[in-house]
Amino acid sequence: MSSTRKTLVITGGTDGMGKELARTYLRRDDTVVIVGRDKDKALPGARLIAADLSLVSENRRVIDEINAAYPAVDALVLCARYFRSTRFVTAEGIEATFALEYLSRHLLSHGLTDPGVIINVSGPGVPMGRVHWDDLMLERGYDGVAAQMQAGRANDLLGTAFAAERPSGRTRYVLINPGPVSTAFRGEYDAATAAHVEQLKRHGAPVAEGVKPVIARVDAPPAAPLSAFMRSKPISLDHPSFSAEAAARLSDVTRHLLRSLEG
């Protein structure tokens, strides 16, 4: 058990890596807040905030609830994912993968009150990831993998913009690619993608192994405002994935989108 108890907020904490992280810190007698949709999957001892994080309104409610109850969060760990082979639009008019896997992470990252470290479990530095600037909602030729690759690149830029906007702030922003892990892979899959997922489950690292790089960064956050890792190996930030210009552009586009939802 840690000599100093931590307070952690984990999205996607009812399945896979998020659940294993929650289990790890509950064993240490830390305070664990899980944000997820399924109350029946919550671990005993954790506090569950039930929410659909694909909705901006739900994220705002969650942020208010966490800030009121836990003003000093040590770690925010962003794990929530949901694959969709078929394009789906939320009730707020946002493409669902973009909403859950990027927009929610943007809102939580900026909305919580100065967490010690933010661990964004995504895919930093993946060459095939790109932001579809002229079609962020992927209305033309939707593909589930392309949607997730866009979210991955958007999270690289989220971390870059966050660190640039708060260079002397308390929060350390960490992007982690855990590599192939035999995790929950929640989603709605076509036959070909489902077969690929089964291969990943068979050959991926066990979840208890996959979370180790995340645990290491929660326990000992890097000194730099922004860092990225492939498992435990640092990724150079001198890469187009972390373009300051693209990060500022996405930050502006995101804030304009959020303002349009408020109006």
Side-chain angles (χ1 to χ4, degrees), residues 6 113 115 120 123-124:
K6 292 182 172 65
T113 305
N120 191 328

Side-chain angles (χ1 to χ4, degrees), residues 10 20 32 68 74 77 82 90 104 139 162 166 209 220 224 235 256-258:
I10 304 171
E20 183 64 24
V32 177
D74 295 287
V77 186
Y82 192 91
T90 71
S104 169
E139 296 180 77
F162 186 97
R166 308 185 188 194
E209 188 69 25
I235 297 173
H256 177 78
L257 174 62
L258 291 171

Side-chain angles (χ1 to χ4, degrees), residues 38-101:
D38 193 339
K39 294 180 180 180
D40 294 334
K41 292 183 178 180
L43 291 168
R47 174 176 177 181
L48 175 73
I49 299 177
D52 178 356
L53 290 178
S54 69
L55 296 174
V56 171
S57 58
E58 287 282 86
N59 279 275
R60 295 202 187 283
R61 175 179 63 82
V62 167
I63 289 165
D64 289 344
E65 191 169 335
I66 292 171
N67 284 340
Y70 306 99
V73 171
D74 295 287
L76 167 64
V77 186
L78 301 166
C79 293
R81 293 167 65 91
Y82 192 91
F83 186 91
R84 292 183 184 273
S85 290
T86 303
R87 185 174 181 270
F88 179 80
V89 176
T90 71
E92 296 172 332
I94 308 298
E95 189 276 311
T97 300
F98 187 86
L100 175 64
E101 299 188 21

Side-chain angles (χ1 to χ4, degrees), residues 87 98 130-141 150 249-250 253:
R87 185 174 181 270
F98 187 86
R130 74 181 183 91
V131 175
H132 298 252
W133 295 107
D134 62 341
D135 186 22
L136 283 177
M137 299 300 114
L138 301 177
E139 296 180 77
R140 302 189 294 273
Q150 172 171 257
R249 180 182 181 185
L250 182 61
V253 168

Side-chain angles (χ1 to χ4, degrees), residues 10 12-27 32-35 38-49:
I10 304 171
T14 55
D15 286 292
M17 291 181 62
K19 190 168 190 174
E20 183 64 24
L21 283 167
R23 185 179 289 113
T24 297
Y25 287 97
L26 286 170
R27 289 190 189 119
V32 177
V33 182
I34 292 171
V35 186
D38 193 339
K39 294 180 180 180
D40 294 334
K41 292 183 178 180
L43 291 168
R47 174 176 177 181
L48 175 73
I49 299 177

Side-chain angles (χ1 to χ4, degrees), residues 95-114:
E95 189 276 311
T97 300
F98 187 86
L100 175 64
E101 299 188 21
Y102 165 68
L103 203 55
S104 169
R105 298 183 184 211
H106 172 95
L107 287 161
L108 290 164
S109 294
H110 287 279
L112 263 60
T113 305
D114 294 329

